[in-house]
Structure formats: structure tokens, C-alpha cells
Amino acid sequence: MSYEILQADSGCPGEPTPNLEDYEQFRAAFDWDQARQQLARLPAGGLNIAHAAIDRWVLAGCGDRVAMRFIRRDWERRNFSYAELGRQSARFANVLAGLGLAAGDRVFTLAGRIPELYFTLLGTLKFGAVYCPLFSAFGPEPVRARLDIGGGRVLVTTLSLYRRKVLPIRPQLPELEHVLLTDARGADLPEGTRSFAELMATADDAWRIPPTDPESLALLHFTSGTTGKPKGAMHAHEAVVAHYATGRYALDLHPGDVYWCTADPGWVTGISYGAIAPLANGVTIIVDEEEFDAERWYRILAEERVNVWYTAPTAIRMLMKQGKELAATHHYDRLRHLASVGEPLNPEGVIWGQAVFGRPFHDTWWQTETGAIMIANFRSLDVRAGAMGRPVPGIEAAIVSVQRDPDGNPVAAEVVTTPDEQGELALRPGWPSMFRGYLGDEARYQRCFADGWYLSGDMAKRDADGWFWFVGRADDVIKSSGHLISPFEVESALLEHPAVAEAGVVGLPDPVAGAVVKAFVELKPGHEGSEELARQLIGFARKRLGAALAPRSIAFSDRLPRTRSGKIMRRLLRARELGLPEGDTSTLETNG
Ligand code: WT7
């Protein structure tokens, strides 16, 4: 294997030295108890994410430190201290108590980056309920499916998102009792909604967090599989131990740092690393309301004197596209560590970081199910451009060869010891942020394990020195702009159209987004494929699914390739489209 090596960062004079100075030594000595002990327990007993992230700083006398610096779309900036976030989240816990919620009930947000989302997250955890974010670019159908599976009782959203995405499906959600709007009050409130601000204004700003069992449920994050409904990965309060430790050792957060995670809070990264990990490390988080904008991003990095930046390959590729000259309009002298997650990071991206910011991007790997970073390039180690890195201390990772039964259920997993041999990336269960199950779907959870390993669904290699390299997904899920898309969810929406008989959805390579969604459609008798119908179907899918999930292009086919049992063979559709080898087609039905 050939790759470029970028030298480890020894730190400029005056800069803090890496929290993890010697990987081998640290790894050998580390256990999770060490990290657990650095987080204060609750005065009332147990461990609560919101206490570890917010209240413990206030109790320690650091309440004046800026926890969150919010940048509005129009550039107006507003600081929230740890004490202020403590009060706002206490208010929200009191609001939930006033609404009659019980511990373990589910509270959802459907919103972009707004301060109320963070009050809701932390207040829900203080109260002892379970927090679940929804991506604001979802259409009504994905919103409905997730609120339904999650049994959401409370939803915090904005007036416009409510009108466009919730109102059409509200009658189908009998369990959704309370909808709180962040930007409407009084006469502007649609029927069946209440004002977030009014409820907060009359709520007490003190709240004593009840004793919290570290194993009690705290977070619900939806993710996608190739078949069936969205999966709600459940995480316990104990997860904060891993958030804290990975923030400290993988992202190299030092108390007082300014830290910017660009991920959307509708997904796990925006919560684990947009809020919990950095706050548990006592840093200032930057929250920018606006979406990607290269000029704006450079200005934020420079003006806010960002020390640690966590972003994603699609964003890096979009910045690269705009050229180095644009980056050179600012100075980034405070930037100490650059990291990336969510999809494969091309070596060119790693190196571009070095050229533009004087340091490489450090790839990290993890999943909704793992809750926290599992594999990372560390500040104190050389970066092998193109590698995902090495396992985080406390994590045992391996490449395994998996045997599956005819239904695809794993029956055995054997560790592959030969370096550079491809297999499935597996982790030894037991780390603090490991998911505790998929809500309401124990069978699917069990299918993630074999022979004492958690199977990630990613194919990878391990080189002779212990670096892990990404190869591809073992299944058909699509990663587009870092978002995990279920082909099944897209196919189901298309099948609701009266002209569609069958649909097969795949991801096609895209130089910027990584992959884009393409649908192959078989029409019902009496319908003809045309450009007009393709446009109609795309519009139909966008309306239901939202722009983030809908297909970019549609192709019509008289007969989609199926297995003998009738399952559409997406792998084959993709191979044919891209002119790749068709692989094993022994299960393909033979027509006639
Ligand atoms: C999938 C997980 C990333 C956490 C939040 C999203 C892909 C993730 C990398 C990487 C190549 C990556 C994998 C993984 N992925 N990081 N560094 N290199 N692929 O979590 O939505 O559950 O997605 O994202 O395929 O399984 P998620």
C-alpha cells in the first residue's frame, strides 16, 4: 500500500501539548473507569449527561465561561455562559414537569441550529426524559415514521417547519400531545401548539436533577438500514463517559478552547460532538445558524479564533472546489486541530488541510450505533493520508470474516489476522456509548452481533502497523453528503405513486457529495416512461421525503433485476449503471 505520511504535530510554542502524548503507552494504561472518575457524579447520585456537560462547571465556579456562542444568520452573535445554559435547561426541565411528562418519555426536536434546540436537549436530560433530534430537511413522511416509532410526546419545532412537515401528518400521531413552537406566540400559534418562549418565561430556572441511573435511557438517534423501518438507536447517560474521553483524546479539546463542529444537530454527530463532548470538556462551542457557505466559514474560523474544528468530507470537498485563494483571505493562527467524520476522507482532502491551514485533517470513524468516535487519527501520531486511524484507547477493533445464513443473519465471525486483508470492521462490545438496542426491535439488535463482536456493516482493512482503512459498505445503504439514506425508505415513497410498480434505489458516486441517490423504476401497465414523468416522480418524492432523501435522477426499466424470491437486486442495478463487474448473479431470476 502506498500513501503519504503527514508528520505528527508537536505543537507550536505556547500551544497546549496533545492530551494524548504517547498513543501506545496511553492505550496500554487506559481503562474507562479512569475517564468515568474525571466526570463528577450527580450530587443526588448516579451520572447524568446534562450534569457532566453543564452543571458540574457551574458548581465548580466556572459558570461565567462561555458555553455556546450563537451566530445568527445575519451575523448577530450571542454568548450563553455555562450558568445561563444551566438556567435555560432547568427551565425546560420545569416546563416538561408542568406538561405532566414522566421519566423515560420521548422529547423530539425538528429544527436547525437554534439555541432552543440546546435548551431542549439539556433540559430533557435533566428531567430524565429521552431526547431525539430530527433532521430539519426531512419531509413529512420521515418525520412521521420517526415520531411514530419513537412515540414522541413532545415536539419542539418552528412555525414554518410545523406547517410544512408536521401539520399534514399530525392526525396520524395520537401520542404526540405537545407541540412547542420556538418562534410563534399568542394569536400566531396554530391550533394545537403552544409557545416555547411563553412556557419558558413562567418556568422556574432552578431544577434539581433527580438521581440518574447511568444505564437509564438518554438519547434516541435514528439511523437507516437497507430494509424495514428506520432504526432508533438507544443510548444511556453512561455514554457521556465516551463523549468526554473521545473529545479529550481524539479531538484534543482543552478547557477554554473555542471549538466548532459543523454537523447538523438533526444527526448524532451534531449532538455527541456538537454539544455533549465539547461541553463535558469545558470548551466554548460555536453554533452557526447558517448552512454551508465557504466565505462565511473562513470568516468564522478566523474571527472566532477557532482552536479545534470538526467537519465532514463533503464540506471539505466543497471548500477545495472554491480554491485556496479564498481560504487565504483570512488567518487561522489559533487553529490547532482539524478533524473529519462521516464518509471516506480522500487523501487529497487531508493534504489540502496541511496546505491551507498548516495542519492535516484527521479522519475519525464511528456510527450512530457506536455513539462516539471509535477510530481516529490522533494529533500526536503521524497521519497516513487516506486511513481512518487507530482505535481510541478503550476500544478493541478488528477485521472479521463473517458467515451469514441465507437470511443474512450473522452466525459466525472470525478475526482476520493477515494485514491488508479485507473484511468487516468489528468492535468488542462494552464501551460506554455503545447503543443499548434499537427501540422496539430486539431482533434487529441481535443481528448486529456474532461471536462476541459488534459488526459495523462497513468493510475495511487493517495494515501491519494497526491503522484501519475504509473499503466500503457491506450493505446497500447510501451515504450522501454524510447522511445515511435507506434505499428502502426512498423506494417506499416512490411506490406510493400511482404509476410505480417497483423501484430500486442506489447511490452513484459523486465527486462532492460522495454519492447521489438514483432510482430505477418499473411502471404499472398503461404508463409510459418520459422525462415529464421522471420530473413528476422526483417532485413527488421530494414532497414526501424532503430534499435530503429524494432521488436526484430516475431511470425507467421494463423489468428490474430480481432474485428468484422477488427481491430487487440493487447491487446489480448499480453495477450495470457504472459498468462494473456484475459479481455473483446466481440468485438472479431467469425470465420466462
Ligand atoms: C457510517 C455511519 C459518523 C458518525 C455519524 C454518522 C460511514 C463514518 C467514516 C469514515 C469512511 C465513514 C460508515 C459508517 N463513515 N465515518 N471516517 N470513513 N466512512 O453516523 O449516519 O450512523 O453513519 O458512516 O459507512 O458505518 P451514521
Side-chain angles (χ1 to χ4, degrees), residues 130-332:
V130 178
Y131 172 75
C132 179
L134 294 175
F135 185 41
S136 55
F138 277 155
E141 176 48 31
V143 168
R144 186 206 59 76
R146 286 158 180 78
L147 276 165
D148 179 41
I149 297 168
R153 271 190 86 184
V154 178
L155 172 68
V156 174
T157 186
T158 65
L159 179 59
S160 124
L161 288 169
Y162 178 73
R163 284 212 177 110
R164 288 183 288 135
K165 307 186 172 191
V166 185
L167 197 56
I169 46 128
R170 182 100 190 250
Q172 297 168 56
L173 295 167
E175 285 183 272
L176 181 59
E177 282 170 65
H178 308 285
V179 175
L180 316 183
L181 301 185
T182 57
D183 55 355
R185 25 169 103 218
D188 294 337
L189 288 165
E191 198 193 319
T193 67
R194 301 180 72 172
S195 155
F196 185 93
E198 281 168 7
L199 286 166
M200 290 285 276
T202 52
D204 196 344
D205 67 5
W207 172 268
R208 184 175 173 275
I209 302 179
T212 310
D213 177 353
E215 277 308 308
S216 59
L217 244 41
L219 304 164
L220 180 65
H221 285 294
F222 279 94
T223 181
S224 298
T226 42
T227 56
K229 296 180 183 177
K231 307 182 274 191
M234 302 187 285
H235 291 281
H237 278 274
E238 172 80 353
V240 70
V241 175
H243 296 146
Y244 164 74
T246 51
R248 186 172 160 102
Y249 300 115
L251 298 181
D252 195 49
L253 297 175
H254 288 68
D257 274 349
V258 175
Y259 163 82
W260 188 23
C261 169
T262 59
D264 192 285
W267 304 92
V268 69
T269 309
I271 300 300
S272 289
Y273 293 98
I276 299 170
L279 295 173
N281 276 283
V283 311
T284 297
I285 59 173
I286 299 292
V287 173
D288 180 28
E289 188 179 20
E290 188 56 280
E291 296 302 320
F292 176 88
D293 173 332
E295 274 185 71
R296 184 175 173 106
W297 278 28
Y298 289 129
R299 183 169 159 196
I300 290 176
L301 285 169
E303 284 183 5
E304 299 300 336
R305 310 177 130 198
V306 172
N307 303 114
V308 178
W309 185 30
Y310 198 21
T311 188
T314 294
I316 296 169
R317 290 188 291 261
M318 292 199 287
L319 291 174
M320 288 170 73
K321 238 173 96 176
Q322 308 231 4
K324 285 181 187 153
E325 300 70 30
L326 187 63
T329 51
H330 290 93
H331 292 286
Y332 315 97

Side-chain angles (χ1 to χ4, degrees), residues 399-437:
I399 299 300
V400 299
S401 142
V402 185
Q403 270 180 48
R404 295 180 197 268
D405 68 16
D407 295 329
N409 302 317
V411 286
E414 198 185 326
V415 175
V416 174
T417 49
T418 323
D420 302 328
E421 204 170 294
Q422 185 174 317
E424 194 164 332
L425 176 55
L427 304 163
R428 188 71 81 188
W431 69 93
S433 63
M434 188 178 105
F435 69 138
R436 303 300 199 258

